[in-house]
Structure formats: structure tokens, C-alpha cells
Amino acid sequence: MNAFEKPHVVAVPFPALGHFIPFLDLAKLLASNGLTVSYVTTPANVSRLQGYLVQALNDGLDIRLVALPTPPVEGLQGCESNDLLPPESRNLIFDLAKKLQNPFDIWMEQQFHQQTAAPPVCIVYDMFMGWAVDTAQKFNIPSILFNTCGAFAISLLHSISCSILQNTLEKDGEDSLVLSFNMPRPVRLFKHEVSPAYFNPDLSSSIQRFVRQCHQEIGKCSGILINTFNELEPLFVQHLKTLTGKPVWAIGPVHPQNLSSGAGNVNTRGKMADIDEQELVCWLDLHSARSVVYVSFGSFTALSEEQTHALARGLEASEQPFVWTIKVTPKIESASSESETDHISTYLPEGFLERTKGRGLIIRGWAPQLVILSHLSVGAFISHCGWNSALESISLGVPILAWPMFGDQHFNSKLFAELGAGIQFCQNRDEIPKEESIKKAVTMALTGDKREEMRENAEKLKVMATNAVKVEGSSATDLRAFVSEMHKLNTRPSKEKEETESNS
Ligand code: UDP
């Protein structure tokens, strides 16, 4: 088959690592199933992300990183991804995302007149790049939403957004509410688990209104790809099908599961790891099976000085081995250079590093997370429960000790607690965890009574995830069904093709 016979899919991620990474994994999956994938973002992001694709490109996968010209956004100063910005400037990334529509439309136009790949058959877009639906309509091709969070979370976010719009949010006392509108079963939530902006539409910023709108509009697309597996949340995968009336392909986990075969260099996944992989693995090898707790809060969340201090005290008190990835809040003036300052040590209790020497490994900056989670010595993950991290953890059999902070993280934490593979020990962005609750959570997961039960439940989920991506598994079957749709579309005339043909 030559390149022109391959269906050409265009992927449009939101400019944040928690979105770039699953889109890169998706691009690899689609390309290894015979599709051409154009992965469209901005120049600085192309430079940062291309390392993770080197192996895939050497293996002959047809993935094209496309750098659209960066539209000017006041205040961004060269930062093109949310992890490079301090919290107060992160909303600017939504402005950048919106402004990419125009250069994207121009690039799309060119795709129907160039000779190096077949014209696109569809756009696979991120929830926060909703304008891609209009672009797809313009070119008479389908728009497929790639949902980078889970089916349970997206069902809840949709229900909350719609309930607020229709004023039907059911309060359950002062502190909690019950979500039943457009839900397959009622779910009780504490108020702190839902972003405050949802409760006060007058005060919410345009970005928060925009995010709410994205959740309301999940049915605008032609179909949904979702980074989950059916067995994990069957009720909610089915619910999305019923709710939208569109095809829903649950194809996850999309991350490379078998690191020993063809995963490529996972220490460049997202960013170049700030630790030598060999050194890390040697350190992990020194510890017995399931004895180490891994601590990380995703690609951009940095703890405050007080929170870092509290966590350090809890880890020390637990007396268990740990690997802790510490991030610092970027400063806008140094953000584009990605400098990680070394004032982390000053956040830690005096003498902490010396006292935990040998028992604790600190990674300043970026960790090769999949390498850590797939190592046999890792027995628990202190995580903010971002969907990628949570899915990676349970699909590698590691129970989660959750400290959800915002967005969908509380919902993910709830899901894994319901499945018996996680517990929550702290809640919210601003909370300072108690030393005792950290110690209790860590010892419980690594040495305590609940250890076997949590491990068994996580192990069951791992087996389910592994089976889902095997040839006859649910995710592999959905992936084949999606690829087959793309082949059908490749033979269907687009509006541009129709016009060219009728003009000639
Ligand atoms: N990640 C990583 N190393 C780090 C921090 C994060 O590889 O030091 C990866 C992690 O494996 C996951 C992604 O970055 O794939 C983070 O996504 P998630 O949804 O967990 O959280 P977010 O960053 O969006 O809050």
C-alpha cells in the first residue's frame, strides 16, 4: 500500500502535556495500524515532543508532526504549553488554543491540494479544541472527539454542566449534591469535588464558561474515541453511546504497556526524563517487591512550600522507601527556557535528605513514569489522579493513594476507590495533608491490612487492561473498528474532492 492509499487522520491536541502525551500514544497506535497521522501543534511543542517519536519514525510509522505558526497571545512570551506557565497565567493557553483555528483552517485547505499525503479523512480533536468540529464541517469530513479523560468523569462533567444550565442541580444538604440528570445511576458528590466555578456562573471567568460549554457539547462530534477500556467502566462507556447516539470506541489504555517490546524510549515520553533510566532502575532493583511508594502530581501541578514540607514529613514518618518527583512552579520570565530551579531542597524539612538517604529517591523535574510504575518494587502511587496517571497506575497493577486537586481528578479518585484499587487521603488543591494521614495511607498500602485487598483489586484491573488490548480484547476490537471506518471514509468523496472533480 502506498502512502496515498492510507487514510490520513489529523490529530489536534490541546497544548498541555496531559493531552499531548495520550495524543502521541494514539498517533502511534493509529499509525501502527496502517494510518497516516498528522499531529498538529505549534513549533515549540513540535521541538519538545519529537524525541518520543524518533523510534516510531525509525520503525517506519507515518506520523507527521505539523508546526502551525504560533498566533500571538499577549502574556505568553513564547510558552506554548501549560506546564511552562505559572498557575495565574495558565488560562492563556486556552487563548492560544482558540487562536489556532485560523492557521489550522489554512493548513487544512492546503491538504486538499498537496501531493505528499492523501487528503484528511477526519479530524481527531481534543475536547478543548472544539472549533475543530466547524473546520471538519467546512471540509465535509467527520470530527472525532478523543476524550483524554475517563467515561465516568466525562459523564459527570456533562451532567453537572447540563444540570446547572437547566437549574436542576439536586442539593443533598449543605455539603453535597446528587447527580442524576443524564446519568445511568445517581452519583453523590461533595461540593468540594466540583469546581466552585460551576456553582457561581456570574463570577466564573470566560474560560470556565468555555470549559463548561465543552462538557455540554460532547454530542457535537461525529464519534468519540476514549482512552479507557470497556471493562473498567462499562456502564459509563455504554452511557456515552446512549447519550450521544454516536459511535464510541473505547481503545485504551493507549500508553505502551509492554515496555520491553516496541514501546520506544519512554524516558522521552512528554519530556526528557531528569534521571538516568539505568540509575533509576538500579535503585528500584535494590528494593523488595511492592515495597516502594511513587509520588507524583502530574505534568504541571507543583505543591506549595507547606504542602511539600508536610508530604516530606509524612513520607519520613512512614519509614517506607519512596521515589518522589518534585516540580516547582514555573516563573513566566524563565518559563520558555524550562529551567527547573534548585530551591526544592529549601522546601524540605531540615536534614530530610540526609535522614532518608538510600530510602528516598528524589527526581527534580520529569520522571519516566511508566518505567517506575512498571517496576516490580513499586507498590503504591501517591497521585493527584489525573486520568493518564490513574489509568497508567491501575493498568500496571499499582494501587492509588489519591490526593485529587481539581477538574476530573476527584471523579477518577472516586472511581478507583469504588473499584477497591485506591483510597483518598487528602482532598483539594489548597489542603495541607496531615503527617499522620500520609503515614497511615502509605503504611496501609505497603505493609498494612488493606495491602492484599488493594493489590488484588489493582492486579485484577491490570489483567483486564492487558486483555483489553490483546488481539481479541475489547479495546483492540474497537480500535480495529475505528481503523476500518477510516478506510471506508478514504473512499468517500470529501467536499473539496467533489468540487475538484466537478470543476475538471
Ligand atoms: N508524566 C511523566 N513524568 C512526570 C510527570 C508526568 O511521565 O514527571 C506523565 C504521566 O505519565 C502522564 C502525564 O504525564 O502520562 C500526566 O497526565 P495526567 O492526566 O496524569 O495529569 P496532568 O498532568 O494532566 O495533570
Side-chain angles (χ1 to χ4, degrees):
M1 186 188 284
N2 70 38
F4 288 85
E5 288 165 341
K6 286 183 179 179
H8 176 190
V9 168
V10 178
V12 190
F14 177 72
L17 282 167
H19 297 243
F20 282 139
I21 293 172
F23 264 86
L24 283 171
D25 287 329
L26 175 71
K28 287 188 187 185
L29 268 184
L30 297 181
S32 55
N33 279 276
L35 306 185
T36 295
V37 182
S38 290
Y39 185 105
V40 182
T41 180
T42 57
N45 287 319
V46 164
S47 310
R48 293 175 92 201
L49 300 174
Q50 59 196 358
Y52 185 44
L53 287 182
V54 169
Q55 172 102 43
L57 299 179
N58 286 343
D59 291 346
L61 299 191
D62 195 1
I63 303 173
R64 298 143 189 233
L65 278 172
V66 177
L68 298 177
T70 312
V73 175
E74 207 182 311
L76 267 190
Q77 300 182 10
C79 303
E80 297 175 7
S81 174
N82 75 339
D83 59 295
L84 299 173
L85 290 162
E88 63 279 12
S89 306
R90 279 196 191 121
N91 279 351
L92 294 175
I93 283 296
F94 285 93
D95 295 338
L96 174 69
K98 272 193 224 163
K99 286 190 174 180
L100 282 172
Q101 180 173 13
N102 191 36
F104 180 68
D105 283 7
I106 295 170
W107 179 83
M108 278 293 286
E109 188 78 47
Q110 291 161 356
Q111 298 315 294
F112 287 92
H113 301 291
Q114 50 84 51
Q115 303 294 319
T116 53
V121 290
C122 91
I123 300 176
V124 176
Y125 71 101
D126 192 290
M127 170 161 291
F128 298 138
M129 308 297 268
W131 45 256
V133 175
D134 301 329
T135 305
Q137 271 165 8
K138 230 185 269 175
F139 293 96
N140 196 27
I141 57 174
S143 50
I144 307 293
L145 170 67
F146 177 43
N147 213 41
T148 56
C149 59
F152 177 63
I154 202 65
S155 303
L156 280 169
L157 290 166
H158 179 261
S159 175
I160 296 166
S161 302
C162 295
S163 306
I164 284 174
L165 191 76
Q166 304 180 1
N167 217 3
T168 55
L169 205 58
E170 278 173 60
K171 298 233 170 70
D172 183 27
E174 263 309 288
D175 294 335
S176 59
L177 45 111
V178 177
L179 281 178
S180 47
F181 180 78
N182 263 335
M183 287 290 284
R185 64 165 163 90
V187 174
R188 173 170 282 111
L189 291 174
F190 289 110
K191 261 189 161 180
H192 73 257
E193 295 175 317
V194 183
S195 162
Y198 278 93
F199 299 109
N200 197 344
D202 295 339
L203 291 182
S204 61
S205 71
S206 61
I207 294 300
Q208 284 152 343
R209 272 200 299 278
F210 166 74
V211 169
R212 242 183 10 229
Q213 192 187 353
C214 293
H215 296 143
Q216 281 154 14
E217 289 180 350
I218 52 170
K220 270 178 75 181
C221 57
S222 326
I224 300 177
L225 282 165
I226 180 161
N227 187 16
T228 190
F229 52 102
N230 191 50
E231 294 75 4
L232 179 63
E233 33 181 5
L235 186 64
F236 290 91
V237 171
Q238 180 54 46
H239 172 60
L240 289 181
K241 293 181 187 172
T242 315
L243 182 71
T244 61
K246 309 278 166 63
V248 174
W249 299 278
I251 54 158
V254 295
H255 67 258
Q257 284 209 299
N258 186 350
L259 302 191
S260 59
S261 70
N265 37 350
V266 287
N267 59 355
T268 54
R269 186 168 174 262
K271 285 192 205 178
M272 188 56 142
D274 288 304
I275 186 165
D276 177 68
E277 189 176 335
Q278 257 334 90
E279 184 193 327
L280 169 68
V281 171
C282 283
W283 190 93
L284 290 168
D285 284 346
L286 293 175
H287 293 87
S288 53
R290 303 295 176 209
S291 68
V292 177
V293 60
Y294 167 52
V295 187
S296 172
F297 300 98
S299 61
F300 65 93
T301 300
L303 301 185
S304 69
E305 190 168 343
E306 291 78 10
Q307 290 169 324
T308 308
H309 198 88
L311 191 50
R313 287 166 58 100
L315 287 172
E316 188 175 352
S318 78
E319 298 180 353
Q320 304 306 311
F322 61 87
V323 176
W324 183 4
T325 306
I326 305 188
K327 295 190 169 42
V328 292
T329 302
K331 301 215 172 11
I332 189 87
E333 62 277 10
S334 61
S336 52
S337 67
E338 283 195 57
S339 62
E340 293 278 1
T341 55
D342 196 35
H343 60 268
I344 291 169
S345 321
T346 63
Y347 283 19
L348 298 169
E350 214 183 317
F352 171 81
L353 292 175
E354 293 73 36
R355 286 192 301 275
T356 56
K357 205 167 183 186
R359 176 160 79 73
L361 178 67
I362 292 204
I363 302 173
R364 293 166 161 80
W366 195 253
Q369 183 155 303
L370 289 180
V371 174
I372 298 172
L373 286 174
S374 51
H375 196 282
L376 197 66
S377 70
V378 175
F381 181 10
I382 292 188
S383 168
H384 69 322
C385 259
W387 183 247
N388 297 298
S389 292
L391 189 64
E392 287 159 15
S393 192
I394 60 95
S395 59
L396 292 163
V398 179
I400 300 170
L401 306 177
W403 177 359
M405 306 214 178
F406 50 82
D408 61 334
Q409 296 159 13
H410 287 100
F411 310 150
N412 304 336
S413 158
K414 193 180 265 303
L415 174 72
F416 293 112
E418 280 181 10
L419 293 168
I423 55 141
Q424 190 174 313
F425 72 95
C426 190
Q427 57 200 24
N428 277 338
R429 181 78 196 89
D430 300 324
E431 192 169 327
I432 298 173
K434 294 197 173 56
E435 176 184 324
E436 195 47 37
S437 56
I438 300 163
K439 177 185 164 185
K440 203 168 140 203
V442 172
T443 47
M444 190 199 74
L446 295 180
T447 60
D449 343 327
K450 273 207 134 194
R451 179 180 78 151
E452 288 310 320
E453 188 189 323
M454 280 175 76
R455 206 173 278 174
E456 265 173 34
N457 290 331
E459 194 57 37
K460 273 187 213 152
L461 294 175
K462 175 183 173 175
V463 171
M464 282 183 197
T466 312
N467 287 338
V469 297
K470 280 187 183 155
V471 180
E472 293 309 322
S474 60
S475 294
T477 306
D478 272 14
L479 180 63
R480 274 197 304 280
F482 176 75
V483 169
S484 153
E485 273 312 303
M486 296 303 103
H487 279 283
K488 283 185 210 153
L489 289 169
N490 210 23
T491 56
R492 172 179 163 259
S494 69
K495 191 174 163 207
E496 289 284 324
K497 268 200 217 160
E498 277 170 2
E499 278 169 9
T500 319
E501 277 158 20
S502 64
N503 289 343
S504 60

